[in-house]
Amino acid sequence: MTVKTRGIVLGQVPLREPDRKLILLTADLGLIEVVARGVGGKKSKLSASAEVLAYSDFCLFEGRSGYIADSADLDRNFYNLRLDLTRLSLASYFCELTRFILPDKDNAPGILKLLLNTLWLLEQDKRSPAFLKAVYELRLLTLSGFAPDLSGCSSCGAEDAGTFFPIDGVLLCDDCLGRMPPDRLRMPLPRPVRQAMLYICQAPEEKLFSFRLTPDSEAALGSVSEAYVLCQTGGRFKTLDFLKSIS
């Protein structure tokens, strides 16, 4: 059976030389694994579309053991990201985090659009890497069903709650802080940062990146969003560690 789909390569795993297994994010099939035969060879017509970050139209054979790539037409490879180590490292982190989330057929369309838009802004230097990292992390978790509760204090409902608990994804006001264990990870959440997080979670996709923050608020947003991702996933991301090592 032949299947046609559009997808971006999030990862590549070596098989018996010169074959590779590709991890693709597609809108219609979700996250899938595809065997690409011969892409390690010099004459392979699939090699360009098999690179990580390559976005292509794929023609796949669907067999009993999975998908096999028959042909592919490259649409975009985000080449300019490969010219800057920081941006390439951040793009690699986006890919690793997205693989970890395991998008399915229901949320894959939104996640694919988010990833492509974020990579384009990163490649074109439209917004800072730190801003795009924070927006991508929080929006990705929101699309995956892990949006934090930022409506107010989770205990009494007070709207002026200003302390965020990344493990629980909730806010508490000063009067209710005693309800949490004293050693529970907590972070101050200034009003501009809370408003930015609410916007990221709720904004329509075409306006997601159309807000600005002061440098201090952007730095605070980055710290909170990263802590929230790490607490909610329980993951350790090698690409994030490398990104921090060069920043």
Side-chain angles (χ1 to χ4, degrees):
M1 180 178 178
T2 302
V3 177
K4 292 185 178 181
T5 188
R6 301 193 86 189
I8 185 169
V9 180
L10 300 183
Q12 189 186 93
V13 180
L15 298 176
R16 181 177 297 178
E17 193 66 30
D19 300 340
R20 303 288 187 272
K21 180 171 67 177
L22 311 180
I23 296 90
L24 297 183
L25 176 60
T26 70
D28 51 345
L29 302 175
L31 193 70
I32 60 173
E33 295 182 348
V34 175
V35 173
R37 301 199 185 283
V39 296
K42 296 181 179 180
K43 298 181 179 180
S44 173
K45 296 180 180 180
L46 288 172
S47 58
S49 294
E51 294 182 355
V52 175
L53 299 179
Y55 180 57
S56 307
D57 289 297
F58 286 90
C59 182
L60 311 174
F61 286 131
E62 184 178 7
R64 293 182 179 179
S65 58
Y67 294 103
I68 299 174
D70 178 47
S71 62
D73 292 321
L74 181 66
D75 181 273
R76 190 179 189 95
N77 66 358
F78 297 100
Y79 175 78
N80 288 335
L81 291 179
R82 307 169 197 275
L83 305 179
D84 182 276
L85 183 58
T86 297
R87 285 178 167 77
L88 179 59
S89 300
L90 180 55
S92 299
Y93 168 57
F94 291 156
C95 291
E96 185 181 9
L97 179 59
T98 306
R99 295 199 310 268
F100 187 92
I101 292 295
L102 294 175
D104 56 31
K105 291 183 180 181
D106 292 330
N107 60 22
I111 292 176
L112 179 58
K113 287 182 180 179
L114 171 66
L115 179 58
L116 293 173
N117 289 339
T118 306
L119 292 176
W120 184 84
L121 290 169
L122 182 63
E123 182 183 41
Q124 301 298 318
D125 199 20
K126 296 290 186 180
R127 302 301 301 269
S128 72
F131 174 86
L132 294 175
K133 175 178 174 292
V135 174
Y136 188 81
E137 288 172 330
L138 190 54
R139 184 69 166 207
L140 177 63
L141 262 65
T142 298
L143 292 173
S144 304
F146 296 97
D149 181 3
L150 302 170
S151 57
C153 177
S154 66
S155 181
C156 70
E159 295 184 357
D160 61 347
T163 302
F164 183 64
F165 291 81
I167 295 176
D168 309 273
V170 299
L171 289 167
L172 286 179
C173 66
D174 291 345
D175 294 335
C176 297
L177 287 179
R179 296 180 180 272
M180 282 289 186
D183 59 346
R184 197 74 155 182
L185 178 62
R186 61 191 67 196
M187 307 180 76
L189 199 65
R191 185 174 180 83
V193 179
R194 177 183 170 188
Q195 290 176 332
M197 293 176 69
L198 279 168
Y199 185 87
I200 294 168
C201 293
Q202 300 173 358
E205 63 181 34
E206 66 271 13
K207 296 183 179 180
L208 176 60
F209 301 95
S210 60
F211 70 96
R212 301 279 176 176
L213 290 170
T214 64
D216 287 345
S217 292
E218 184 175 297
L221 174 64
S223 297
V224 172
S225 64
E226 182 179 303
Y228 185 62
V229 163
L230 295 179
C231 287
Q232 293 299 308
T233 62
R236 179 76 182 269
F237 302 101
K238 294 180 179 180
T239 48
L240 178 59
D241 292 339
F242 180 75
L243 178 64
K244 290 182 175 181
S245 74
I246 63 173
S247 298

